[in-house]
Amino acid sequence: QVQLVESGGGLVQAGGSLRLSCAASGLTFSSYAMGWFRQAPGKERKFVASVSGSGSNRYYADSMKGRFTISRDSAQNTVYLQMNSLKPEDTAVYYCAADTSIVTVTHIPKSVDYWGQGTQVTVSS
């Protein structure tokens, strides 16, 4: 059974940093591209960042470039999202995603194979 378990969310002041983690189990980690999405109240889920199974290719939503960094640790079967210079508009539930296709996990969220349960990030002004 595949499980994606996010952690690291919380309350932070604007300008602060958080690092989210997503621990994956039940799958061959290196065969899966991993991604992060976020969903604010009343809004649709939106792409944040993704990384290929090898870790060699990374993609970001334009508004996150330069502030967020996605990485993965194959030894720990974990993907991370380092978030710096946080803004109140970054407040959302952040979800981890896994799919065998980097294209799907980046551009076609409705077709993603697996999702985590989400972790809340709240940025106060």
Side-chain angles (χ1 to χ4, degrees):
Q1 181 181 359
V2 174
Q3 284 191 314
L4 302 177
V5 180
E6 300 101 332
S7 61
L11 174 64
V12 64
Q13 289 187 334
S17 299
L18 281 175
R19 188 176 81 156
L20 305 183
S21 300
C22 171
S25 61
L27 52 73
T28 303
F29 190 63
S30 61
S31 296
Y32 281 79
M34 303 295 293
W36 288 96
F37 288 75
R38 70 185 188 185
Q39 187 167 19
K43 296 188 178 181
E44 64 181 15
R45 192 171 298 188
K46 292 188 176 181
F47 171 74
V48 173
S50 62
V51 59
S52 60
S54 66
S56 58
N57 296 302
R58 306 181 189 185
Y59 303 94
Y60 297 92
D62 287 344
S63 60
M64 286 72 169
K65 288 180 181 178
R67 298 193 299 127
F68 291 9
T69 302
I70 189 170
S71 61
R72 62 190 296 156
D73 183 339
S74 295
Q76 299 294 326
N77 281 11
T78 299
V79 63
Y80 302 98
L81 184 69
Q82 177 68 42
M83 305 186 294
N84 299 326
S85 302
L86 284 162
K87 306 174 183 179
E89 51 264 43
D90 294 318
T91 294
V93 177
Y94 284 70
Y95 296 91
C96 177
D99 196 273
T100 54
S101 168
I102 186 66
V103 173
T104 299
V105 83
T106 304
H107 299 293
I108 318 173
K110 292 184 179 180
S111 298
V112 163
D113 288 338
Y114 304 107
W115 291 96
Q117 83 288 351
T119 186
Q120 176 71 46
V121 171
T122 303
V123 184
S124 63
S125 58

